[in-house]
Amino acid sequence: MKTAAPKGVLILSNDLLTPFAKTSDYLAAALERRRIPTYVRDNAEARLLTYLFSEEMAPKIPVAQEAVCDAMRELIEHAAIDTVLSLDMNWYVTPGLYIEDAAIKSIHSLWFDDFRSWCTSPFNPCFPMEGDVFQQHVKHPKVTHHFYGDSQAQEARLLGVPNQRITRLAAPRHLIQNESPCVRTDKLAFIGNPGFRGTPHEGAIKLMEAGAEIDELRTFCRDAILQQPDIHLVDWIKEEPTINNLLAVALEARRRFPFRPALQILQLAGTHYPRAFEFINEKGIILDLAFLIKLVNRYDRPAFVHRLWKRGWIDVYSAANEWEPYGVEALPYVPFGDLPEHYRMYAAHLNAPNAIRDATANEKLFEIAACGRLSINLDSPDVRSCYDPGEITLVDSLAALEAAAEQVLQDPDGALAGGEKARRRSAREHLWDHRIASMFPS
């Protein structure tokens, strides 16, 4: 039986004041095309209040909470809003808001981040709640959590989140309508940062310069995590020495199976070292260990870019300082409004996931395809589930990457033909309109 369409949707975002992608606007446009009244609010003001009151005026936090709640409930009443659609958990502001409001029938969290990153970032949670209250809100029957990767969903299940589904990311509809010409067939392009923003290991840079394969870099990361543990890991191993064995097995498994969800690997390793697994579970650090396992893939994206940069085959667009440690000279970052023209400017683009997200079907996969351009991707189940070979290019090594890039440069018309296939697939299946229709089928 079909559910009733929302009478009004409140989108809660954190992107309106940033120079980057405006996913909230894309979602709002898709809802409006279905004739569903939609309102977008950014949580920046609430987060600013959180910071001010927590740092300087703690006794006045209840007053600020009340002011935020009153403003949102007034909007809900006057706009007849019955549904909340939130990027990540931007609906999680203060106890009771939305959850206890009878007018709100459903809350949808569309996750881009992972639970660990979101909960540990000082910029995300608004007014603090006790752990049990947080759990009650996250698990409330009104709330459905949408994840674009299996690993994200598994991390949520670990926290006992019952209402969840896989909802892939997508492209905004206006991208498929862009007809800007391809004017660069002498190079590919990559638009983005290196992923993990920590200072890279000197040894990893040397390996890239020496032409090391991607598996060698994953092996390097495996060893670096064990041989150069951070202070937290050192303390945990002191308390429970078998954690070192558990982690060693899990890291090697990730090296061999680089797209197996980190948490799944950790749980399987835990069957061999139950005492260590029980310790990390009771200590509440299981997601911290999963994060370390993800770092085996830390240099996948930088190695992809670096290999083609050395050949002089790629233009990189990003903040210059982020790529300097890798010896890559980046062109200025592309504002979100200029992305379609930059995607269309080149016959093909490099696309590599951020290892920290542990999900490979990222937004760029869909955006490049919607613009009718070929993307070269690491071969992973997530990516294969969205596009077929011929619509995109899949590689499993840096040598295969070089061969694919060289083919694009020798036959740009073939790359453009593949990109056109990807655009048609995107128009059928992978726009935000399709995701909204899936969430609200009536």
Side-chain angles (χ1 to χ4, degrees):
M1 185 176 69
K2 289 186 176 181
T3 58
K7 295 178 181 178
V9 175
L10 173 62
I11 295 178
L12 296 170
S13 75
N14 58 354
D15 64 356
L16 292 185
L17 302 182
T18 72
F20 308 113
K22 305 295 184 186
T23 305
S24 55
D25 285 344
Y26 305 152
L27 292 167
L31 285 160
E32 292 286 356
R33 282 192 284 270
R34 292 174 66 84
R35 301 185 184 279
I36 299 172
T38 304
Y39 305 83
V40 181
R41 293 293 182 271
D42 193 289
N43 271 3
E45 291 184 1
R47 288 197 300 275
L48 180 59
L49 279 173
T50 304
Y51 175 77
L52 290 175
F53 287 116
S54 63
E55 292 293 314
E56 300 175 5
M57 304 164 67
K60 293 188 177 180
I61 284 180
V63 177
Q65 288 176 310
E66 185 177 357
V68 171
C69 289
D70 288 347
M72 300 312 297
R73 284 173 173 148
E74 183 178 2
L75 174 62
I76 289 167
E77 179 182 355
H78 291 300
I81 290 167
D82 62 357
T83 301
V84 171
L85 177 55
S86 171
L87 306 191
D88 297 319
M89 273 185 59
N90 281 290
W91 62 268
Y92 172 76
V93 179
T94 190
L97 182 62
Y98 309 123
I99 290 292
E100 296 176 3
D101 292 307
I104 299 299
K105 305 304 181 185
S106 64
I107 299 169
H108 296 264
S109 279
L110 189 59
W111 280 91
F112 292 77
D113 219 332
D114 59 89
F115 261 97
R116 180 189 179 278
S117 296
W118 192 90
C119 293
T120 56
S121 170
F123 301 105
N124 284 329
C126 288
F127 298 106
M129 301 184 199
E130 297 296 328
D132 58 339
V133 178
F134 171 78
Q135 290 280 349
Q136 291 166 14
H137 281 64
V138 168
K139 300 175 185 178
H140 196 279
K142 280 187 181 182
V143 182
T144 300
H145 297 273
H146 299 259
F147 301 100
Y148 74 92
D150 292 336
S151 179
Q152 294 171 308
Q154 287 191 8
E155 291 182 7
R157 282 195 291 272
L158 176 69
L159 297 176
V161 175
N163 302 322
Q164 58 169 263
R165 56 180 289 186
I166 297 295
T167 298
R168 299 295 184 194
L169 300 180
R173 190 167 78 170
H174 71 273
L175 294 188
I176 64 171
Q177 300 162 344
N178 191 292
E179 296 295 338
S180 299
C182 173
V183 296
R184 296 293 304 274
T185 58
D186 59 326
K187 286 188 177 183
L188 288 79
F190 176 77
I191 302 173
N193 59 49
F196 183 73
R197 284 189 160 95
T199 303
H201 297 90
E202 184 179 344
I205 303 298
K206 289 180 178 178
L207 283 171
M208 291 183 206
E209 290 291 344
E213 256 300 346
I214 201 161
D215 186 62
E216 294 177 76
L217 285 159
R218 291 171 181 160
T219 300
F220 173 88
C221 289
R222 177 202 66 188
D223 295 341
I225 293 166
L226 291 171
Q227 296 168 10
Q228 304 169 38
D230 67 24
I231 188 170
H232 300 294
L233 180 56
V234 170
D235 289 341
W236 299 331
I237 292 173
K238 284 181 180 178
E239 291 187 63
E240 177 48 65
T242 59
I243 286 179
N244 195 61
N245 305 86
L246 170 71
L247 188 58
V249 168
L251 291 170
E252 172 58 15
R254 178 68 171 216
R255 186 193 68 80
R256 294 187 183 187
F257 307 102
F259 301 112
R260 186 76 59 85
L263 189 59
Q264 182 185 80
I265 288 174
L266 192 58
Q267 289 172 318
L268 289 171
T271 61
H272 298 281
Y273 298 96
R275 191 168 67 185
F277 192 79
E278 182 180 356
F279 174 86
I280 64 174
N281 205 18
E282 290 179 353
K283 192 84 170 178
I285 58 172
I286 190 167
L287 294 184
D288 297 281
L289 268 290
F291 174 77
L292 292 178
I293 294 166
K294 296 175 189 179
L295 289 181
V296 168
N297 299 70
R298 173 177 177 174
Y299 295 113
D300 286 11
R301 180 189 286 185
F304 250 47
V305 172
H306 185 273
R307 178 61 65 95
L308 296 191
W309 172 263
K310 281 183 64 179
R311 297 296 301 268
W313 289 353
I314 193 166
D315 286 335
V316 179
Y317 294 86
S318 183
N321 65 306
E322 294 186 316
W323 282 103
E324 283 176 0
Y326 297 94
V328 173
E329 296 178 17
L331 297 166
Y333 205 95
V334 181
F336 81 95
D338 297 335
L339 278 173
E341 285 70 26
H342 276 74
Y343 285 142
R344 297 275 300 174
M345 186 187 302
Y346 296 83
H349 290 259
L350 190 60
N351 182 45
N354 185 338
I356 308 309
R357 298 290 169 83
D358 209 14
T360 52
N362 57 12
E363 282 181 287
K364 284 188 174 62
L365 172 70
F366 302 102
E367 292 171 353
I368 294 167
C371 284
R373 295 297 180 254
L374 185 74
S375 63
I376 301 178
N377 304 265
L378 276 167
D379 192 350
S380 71
D382 276 356
V383 174
R384 279 185 174 271
S385 71
C386 300
Y387 293 96
D388 295 328
E391 298 169 333
I392 59 173
T393 295
L394 299 168
V395 299
D396 59 5
S397 68
L398 296 181
L401 166 66
E402 282 191 273
E406 189 169 22
Q407 177 65 27
V408 166
L409 296 174
Q410 292 175 350
D411 182 19
D413 288 340
L416 290 170
E420 189 54 39
K421 292 178 184 177
R423 173 150 70 166
R424 292 196 293 268
R425 178 72 174 270
S426 299
R428 294 193 307 269
E429 299 178 20
H430 295 311
L431 304 181
W432 284 118
D433 299 72
H434 299 119
R435 306 301 182 250
I436 290 296
S438 178
M439 289 184 199
F440 310 117
S442 58

